[in-house]
Amino acid sequence: MRMSLVSMICGTTFVWSTAVIGQEVKGEFPSPKTDEEMIANALSAAPESIGKNATVIAFDANGKVRTLQKGTNNFTCIPDDPTNPANDPNCVDANGLEWVMAWVKRSEPPKGKVGFGYMLQGGTTPSNVDPFATKPPEGMKWMQEPPHVMVFNYGGEGAIKDYPRPGEMADMTQPWVMWAGSPYEHLMMPVGGPQ
């Protein structure tokens, strides 16, 4: 099962592009190996002001959580998911972490708790529709996502009715809903400009 916490945060993301719709990922990212490398990688997902005080966790091959650094704020950062082809660390607040853990366990996300997360390195996703996909649908490639922030448990479709719910072909140059219609749908908001 590919579902490490990193890949589950939001389908993961990578490098900003001006034509991101279904864009192929180029190359593979060499995942960090040592604790020090994993900490540095995980913290790169968030602004320095958040990352410097965040807890950092990692997952072993069996999905067991290990704390690499204890933080003093309510954010938890997670290093790159080695099962994805690009760099995709993430950093979520306490409510976001509850949402992610529900996703990992395939249980219902917490009710009434809006969560927030950063993926400022971007990453990749195999599917904008299936929260448990381990590879892209037939005929499609891994999709690059720009650096972005995420909002979890925002109140359902009515709360964000004006945001696109694009299916597999998301225009990742503007906000969109990932995994629309599933219990794990969340708002993806690109940040910054082309790199």
Side-chain angles (χ1 to χ4, degrees), residues 144-168:
Q144 287 187 180
E145 297 169 348
H148 63 276
V149 296
M150 302 159 288
V151 180
F152 312 105
N153 287 339
Y154 45 75
E157 186 174 345
I160 59 166
K161 65 180 176 55
D162 295 330
Y163 288 97
R165 304 169 87 72
E168 288 294 6

Side-chain angles (χ1 to χ4, degrees), residues 111-168:
K111 299 280 188 209
K113 292 184 174 185
V114 174
F116 183 82
Y118 293 99
M119 289 187 76
L120 298 184
Q121 295 300 313
T124 52
T125 185
S127 175
N128 192 59
V129 173
D130 180 357
F132 302 112
T134 57
K135 61 183 181 178
E138 178 120 8
M140 292 187 70
K141 300 189 183 307
W142 284 86
M143 294 173 275
Q144 287 187 180
E145 297 169 348
H148 63 276
V149 296
M150 302 159 288
V151 180
F152 312 105
N153 287 339
Y154 45 75
E157 186 174 345
I160 59 166
K161 65 180 176 55
D162 295 330
Y163 288 97
R165 304 169 87 72
E168 288 294 6

Side-chain angles (χ1 to χ4, degrees), residues 39 43 51-57 66-71:
I39 290 169
L43 297 180
K52 70 180 180 182
N53 296 313
T55 295
V56 176
I57 61 174
R66 183 167 62 96
T67 300
L68 303 179
Q69 173 177 293
K70 183 69 178 143

Side-chain angles (χ1 to χ4, degrees), residues 2 9 11 22 31 40-42 63 65 79 93 101 104 117-118 127 134 141 171 173 185-186 192:
R2 140 187 188 266
I9 286 288
S31 293
N41 178 260
V65 177
D93 66 9
M101 295 307 288
V104 169
Y118 293 99
S127 175
T134 57
K141 300 189 183 307
D171 176 356
T173 64
E185 74 176 19
H186 57 285

